[in-house]
């Protein structure tokens, strides 16, 4: 049983067809990398997994649920099992690192929280454990905006992990980072995925990173899957074919 399953999914935004007849099964524990130029549909695909978008046609099943049919509490329950890491980290700059990580548990807590003491002790401990895991426990009480980009992304990974997800979605998690920090963050994502048995769907711009860290590459062009293959045995040139005549097709924004 795949953890994530797209069956003939098409997504249209008005006249724009962002996904075109996408079928894709991601088994448990796989790190699948989405590659494709800007506008090829990577973010749109990721956003279907936790119900931020609903298909125009076709079906998205995640953890054995039809995501398109979920509302309210059912959708929240699904989202509590899916962590999301974004290109721009989306930390709250003025909060401490530890409180940012605690916010990852908000979905399971009732009501708003203000300040670290307002989180249950077990959440604070879990947050500190995850910060330790990403190598930043010593920064726990620092403001988030005092950290480097790479450190902020590691905090964002800790925040996603504190909700104990089964799936980790990452939308160009290293696009804003220098090469060394990017490698550190990808190392971290692949290590925690292995340790926790997470299923990962991660969009990247860099073919080399995909080949180093992914188990599988899914190439998108104009919303359609044009390559879907294990990384083992995949050459750089073959992976680059995803970008084929894309520029000529006017896809680059
Ligand atoms: N909410 C929306 N409303 C209208 N059009 C949208 C919306 N979201 C995405 N699109 C369009 O859908 C297409 C796919 O966009 P998407 O953001 O999924 O691509 P992407 O591959 O993630 O690009 P990038 O690498 O720049 O993030 C684009 O043409 C985009 O303009």
């Amino acid at each position: 049983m795949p953890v994530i399953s797209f069956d003939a999914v098409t997504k249209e935004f008005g006249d724009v067809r962002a996904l075109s007849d996408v079928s894709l099964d991601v088994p448990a524990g796989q790190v699948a990398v989405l590659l494709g130029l800007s506008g090829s549909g990577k973010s749109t695909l990721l956003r279907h997994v936790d119900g931020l978008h609903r298909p125009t046609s076709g079906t998205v099943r995640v953890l054995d649920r039809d995501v398109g049919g979920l509302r309210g509490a059912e959708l929240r329950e699904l989202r509590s099992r899916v962590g999301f890491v974004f290109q721009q980290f989306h930390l709250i700059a003025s909060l401490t690192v530890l409180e940012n990580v605690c916010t990852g548990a908000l979905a399971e807590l009732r009501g708003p929280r203000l300040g670290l003491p307002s989180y249950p002790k077990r959440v604070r401990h879990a947050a500190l454990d995850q910060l330790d895991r990403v190598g930043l426990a010593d920064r726990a009480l620092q403001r988030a905006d005092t950290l480097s980009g790479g450190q902020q992304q590691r905090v964002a990974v800790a925040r996603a992990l504190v909700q104990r997800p089964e799936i980790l979605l990452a939308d160009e998690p290293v696009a804003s980072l220098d090469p060394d920090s990017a490698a550190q963050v990808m190392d971290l994502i692949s290590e925690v995925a292995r340790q926790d048995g997470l299923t990962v769907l991660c969009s990247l711009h860099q073919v080399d990173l995909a080949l180093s860290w992914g188990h599988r590459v899914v190439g998108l062009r104009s919303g359609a899957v044009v390559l879907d293959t294990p990384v083992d045995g995949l050459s750089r040139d073959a992976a680059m074919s995803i970008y084929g005549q894309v520029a000529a097709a006017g896809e680059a924004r």
Side-chain angles (χ1 to χ4, degrees), residues 190-206:
S190 96
E191 184 59 14
V192 297
R194 193 186 57 74
Q195 288 171 351
D196 294 3
L198 296 175
T199 305
V200 179
L201 197 50
C202 172
S203 70
L204 290 173
H205 266 303
Q206 308 89 328

Side-chain angles (χ1 to χ4, degrees), residues 11-19 34-47 53 87 171-172 203-205 220 222-223 251 253:
K11 176 66 178 179
E12 290 167 353
F13 296 105
D15 291 343
V16 177
R17 178 171 282 210
L19 293 179
L34 300 174
L35 285 178
L37 282 185
S38 271
S40 58
K42 303 181 298 295
S43 302
T44 302
L45 192 153
L46 287 170
R47 292 165 74 88
H53 288 324
Q87 177 181 345
D171 196 356
E172 294 183 19
S203 70
L204 290 173
H205 266 303
L220 289 175
S222 302
E251 190 173 19
R253 288 187 297 204

